[in-house]
Amino acid sequence: MSSTVSEIIPEALPGALPETMVAAVLYGREDVRIERVPVPHAGPGELVVRVAAALTCGTDLKVFRRGYHARMIQPPALFGHELAGVVAETGEGVAAFAPGDRIVALNSAPCGACYFCLRDQENLCDDLLFNNGAYAEYIRIPARIVQKNTLLVPAHVSFEHAALTESLACALHGFEDTNPRPGDSVAVIGGGPMGLMILHVAALAGCNVIAVVKHDEQVKSARALGAACVVQTSATSDVVAAVRSLTPNQRGVDIAIEAVALPETWEQAVAMVRNGGVVNFFGGPEAGTEVRFDTNRLHYSDLTLKATFHHTPAISRRALALIASGKFQADRFITGHAPLGDLNEAFAQLLDRGNHGNGIKTAILPF
């Protein structure tokens, strides 16, 4: 779509709220219905936001396929979690925001008082509060998220770019968790939204990135976002050997980050990392999934295996700052626009990337 962002997304002005709105409701596996529901109102400490742009996300696609998310959403429920918009109503006691403010509200907030929060592991909070309902004309932002994880959007940042904050925060968290150094070789397995975002973050940090992707369009995207080399799985019989061949003496990469969420790619990540290297299992497979590893290899190669879940308020702020800096190629991640009524069609196209090109994220425009 060649229109400018300002032409696509009208300025969302505050005003009297209507009684009902159009919203997407998740009922179960591949069962999302566009319905008319009551418009929420802001309680004490809360906001109601007029959604200017909501983005499709790999997590939403997984929820769509599976019909639920163990921690984030249980049907029936309003759906979607990446958004930016304008404050339409403020609840009693809200002082940091006012009607008309351009904001991005993250999809969660930690309690700040539990075992994990007190140890700077807020993503693991015992009472992590999630919020859904971005695929709608309006969304209510709970008081804790207003207080801890709602950010003002700079005037020069578009709504759809600001809505990338949540997914970029997750990508930053996953990358930073590997303790990278400039010049490190980093293999990123996966050419979906999160894989491409992680490889772009790694390239911006000065790492030598090897992208492991499947489709032709993903190859193009990976190169445009800073991958030094690309291994295309559909054209390679041995992915691990192909990655290792791109490193000195075929010793393997310093860091391997898995962003596909399949057992075979988890195993490939371990096989392609060098002795003393770090593997991050960023992609979360379905519950009950099992993998097999050679214990000799893990022990005698002194490997570090870890996983990264979600984000924290501090990382979210760094993500928005990176978007606002202009260094992050936000435009490349918004590959389509669709009205709210076409949400199911947008999901279908994103799930069939082989036949619909490399759709990364679609901006859902409710107005």
Side-chain angles (χ1 to χ4, degrees), residues 123 172-180 278 280 306-309 315:
N123 59 307
L172 276 174
H173 192 190
F175 175 64
E176 292 174 356
D177 255 5
T178 63
N179 296 316
V278 178
N280 190 318
K306 67 178 292 109
T308 300
F309 168 70
I315 292 172

Side-chain angles (χ1 to χ4, degrees), residues 2-56:
S2 60
S3 301
T4 65
V5 169
S6 62
E7 292 170 336
I8 294 166
I9 304 176
E11 185 67 18
L13 300 175
L17 298 182
E19 292 185 2
T20 63
M21 66 179 184
V22 177
V25 183
L26 174 72
Y27 282 92
R29 184 175 180 181
E30 297 187 14
D31 186 3
V32 173
R33 307 174 199 174
I34 308 301
E35 300 181 345
R36 186 160 286 279
V37 302
V39 169
H41 286 278
E46 297 179 343
L47 299 176
V48 171
V49 173
R50 184 185 193 269
V51 179
L55 304 183
T56 58

Side-chain angles (χ1 to χ4, degrees), residues 75 82 84 124-125 154 157 168 261 340:
E82 292 186 11
L124 300 178
C125 172
V157 177
L168 179 55
L340 180 55

Side-chain angles (χ1 to χ4, degrees), residues 4-349:
T4 65
V5 169
S6 62
E7 292 170 336
I8 294 166
I9 304 176
E11 185 67 18
L13 300 175
L17 298 182
E19 292 185 2
T20 63
M21 66 179 184
V22 177
V25 183
L26 174 72
Y27 282 92
R29 184 175 180 181
E30 297 187 14
D31 186 3
V32 173
R33 307 174 199 174
I34 308 301
E35 300 181 345
R36 186 160 286 279
V37 302
V39 169
H41 286 278
E46 297 179 343
L47 299 176
V48 171
V49 173
R50 184 185 193 269
V51 179
L55 304 183
T56 58
C57 168
T59 298
D60 285 346
L61 291 175
K62 284 197 297 186
V63 169
F64 179 71
R65 288 198 307 264
R66 300 173 186 174
Y68 73 98
H69 187 290
R71 296 200 65 180
M72 288 179 59
I73 186 172
Q74 294 292 330
L78 296 173
F79 192 33
H81 68 277
E82 292 186 11
L83 75 129
V86 168
V87 174
E89 183 180 83
T90 58
E92 180 183 355
V94 174
F97 303 99
D101 282 348
R102 306 171 79 247
I103 63 94
V104 56
L106 277 292
N107 68 326
S108 71
C111 71
C114 71
Y115 176 92
F116 296 102
C117 286
L118 295 177
R119 284 156 180 78
D120 296 323
Q121 294 177 299
E122 295 164 299
N123 59 307
L124 300 178
C125 172
D126 282 328
D127 185 29
L128 193 59
L129 174 67
F130 285 100
N131 194 35
N132 290 282
Y135 300 132
E137 293 177 313
Y138 295 89
I139 183 173
R140 182 183 65 88
I141 310 301
R144 191 197 292 177
I145 296 179
V146 173
Q147 180 185 14
K148 295 177 178 286
N149 232 359
T150 297
L151 311 174
L152 289 168
V153 175
H156 72 280
V157 177
S158 72
F159 287 116
E160 58 183 15
H161 290 175
L164 289 165
T165 300
E166 195 275 336
S167 54
L168 179 55
C170 292
L172 276 174
H173 192 190
F175 175 64
E176 292 174 356
D177 255 5
T178 63
N179 296 316
R181 297 177 296 182
D184 276 353
S185 57
V186 180
V188 180
I189 305 174
M194 294 311 302
L196 292 174
M197 202 167 276
I198 292 168
L199 81 82
H200 187 35
V201 167
L204 289 174
C207 293
N208 181 51
V209 182
I210 301 171
V212 181
V213 301
K214 182 177 182 180
H215 303 297
D216 291 343
E217 290 299 318
Q218 292 174 335
V219 172
K220 296 176 185 177
S221 294
R223 287 176 175 153
L225 290 167
C229 302
V230 179
V231 172
Q232 188 170 6
T233 60
S234 58
T236 305
S237 59
D238 189 335
V239 172
V240 172
V243 171
R244 283 183 165 269
S245 72
L246 297 171
T247 63
N249 300 317
Q250 301 186 24
R251 66 172 172 242
V253 294
D254 300 308
I255 297 167
I257 302 176
E258 194 280 349
V260 179
L262 292 175
E264 54 264 40
T265 46
W266 274 43
E267 293 168 3
Q268 287 173 352
V270 172
M272 67 179 58
V273 76
R274 66 167 172 82
N275 291 354
V278 178
V279 177
N280 190 318
F281 302 120
F282 185 87
E286 197 165 1
T289 302
E290 296 183 353
V291 294
R292 294 173 60 90
F293 297 123
D294 181 344
T295 55
N296 232 35
R297 162 116 172 94
L298 299 185
H299 177 75
Y300 290 103
S301 296
D302 196 7
L303 301 186
T304 298
L305 309 184
K306 67 178 292 109
T308 300
F309 168 70
H310 207 49
H311 52 72
T312 68
I315 292 172
S316 299
R317 283 156 176 77
R318 294 206 295 277
L320 181 58
L322 181 57
I323 292 168
S325 74
K327 297 176 183 177
F328 183 80
Q329 296 183 48
D331 273 340
R332 291 194 178 275
F333 289 90
I334 311 295
T335 52
H337 298 82
L340 180 55
D342 291 348
L343 179 63
N344 279 285
E345 181 182 345
F347 279 170
Q349 292 183 1

